[in-house]
Amino acid sequence: MSEGPTAVAGGRRGILVVVSAPSGGGKTTLVKAALAADPALSLSVSCTTRPARPGEVDGRDYFFVSPGDFTRRRDADEFVEWAEVFDHAYATPRAPLDAAIAAGRDVLLDVDIQGARSIKRVFPADAVGIFVVPPSFAELEQRLRARGTDGDAQIKRRLDRAREEIQAARETGVYDYVIVNRDRERAASELQAIVAAERCRLSRLAAVHLD
Ligand code: 5GP
């Protein structure tokens, strides 16, 4: 006997949720909140040549690699993109992304604007770009100072870079969404709402039919 109309969705491709922000934009907290709130979302773990900060774990936050190892893997085409950010090299390993998309698993990528641009180019149908901005430059400067990790020159460098990035983010079309990170909880719920909506995109479904 029929149980009435049911929408049957075939499998869908996984989504690459690409999140960028100027440093001090509050992105790390936001990304952690998104991952904690949504077990179906996993983090793309980048390779970097920068040393681990206190509390960071190899294989969870980054794969911390030597410059030699980084070059070898880059030359072996293991990276979908790589970039130099503040004197260190960063790269996104490609194989886990291909596997996640095919298996319908969603992945969050915390990369800078160069990385976001490359990922959108390589995965135009699967990547969603989200840019997180602080409410103002004054607030950004205050957050960078409160972090206490940088001197004046480094803070100025980060602020200059933030201005360039915000300008570039507006112009490039790399990003589909912007989140103004005024309030931590609201920003987190906006990120979740974006992911939820993207999961419902018809174009991601292998098939939809009614019985
Ligand atoms: P941090 O050293 O503070 O963890 O990251 C510095 C910057 O590098 C951040 O803007 C972060 O988004 C960016 N980043 C981290 N991993 C990657 C990556 O794999 N590729 C690119 N292009 N940027 C990355």
Side-chain angles (χ1 to χ4, degrees):
M1 203 176 102
S2 166
E3 295 178 330
T6 47
V8 179
R12 68 163 171 85
R13 293 165 67 83
I15 305 170
L16 305 183
V17 182
V18 184
V19 182
S20 313
S23 51
K27 180 182 53 172
T28 309
T29 316
L30 184 58
V31 162
K32 285 198 176 133
L35 292 169
D38 185 349
L41 201 56
S42 65
L43 183 68
S44 161
V45 182
S46 297
C47 290
T48 183
T49 59
R50 89 150 157 74
R53 295 184 187 131
E56 285 183 332
V57 175
D58 186 45
R60 185 193 69 188
D61 300 287
Y62 281 104
F63 295 108
F64 296 99
V65 298
S66 67
D69 197 23
F70 189 95
T71 308
R72 188 187 57 71
R73 294 174 70 167
R74 188 193 66 199
D75 294 348
D77 237 5
E78 287 186 26
F79 299 145
V80 59
E81 61 84 34
W82 70 277
E84 300 267 353
V85 186
F86 296 124
D87 306 328
H88 293 292
Y90 295 82
T92 306
R94 175 163 196 144
L97 300 188
D98 286 334
I101 291 170
R105 283 185 282 109
D106 303 326
V107 178
L108 196 149
L109 297 96
D110 172 349
V111 296
D112 78 334
I113 187 166
Q114 309 166 67
R117 188 179 289 123
S118 304
I119 287 161
K120 279 283 248 187
R121 193 174 53 233
V122 177
F123 300 102
D126 302 303
V128 177
I130 304 173
F131 197 69
V132 182
V133 290
S136 68
F137 276 101
E139 171 79 25
L140 180 58
E141 184 168 355
Q142 209 180 329
R143 286 183 193 174
L144 289 172
R145 291 197 186 284
R147 235 168 38 171
T149 50
D150 298 316
D152 278 355
Q154 184 71 356
I155 287 178
K156 184 175 178 318
R157 208 168 145 212
R158 289 192 191 273
L159 286 171
D160 287 346
R161 191 181 158 90
R163 272 180 216 283
E164 285 166 24
E165 284 188 343
I166 290 168
Q167 192 59 30
R170 289 183 67 87
E171 287 164 0
T172 54
V174 169
Y175 298 101
D176 304 287
Y177 299 93
V178 62
I179 295 177
V180 180
N181 195 1
R182 203 170 272 117
D183 169 87
R184 188 183 290 189
E185 293 198 347
R186 174 149 177 202
S189 73
E190 285 178 355
L191 180 52
Q192 283 166 35
I194 292 167
V195 173
E198 287 292 330
R199 284 178 175 149
C200 298
R201 258 187 206 279
L202 193 59
S203 58
R204 296 196 198 289
L205 301 181
V208 177
H209 51 87
L210 297 177
D211 290 337

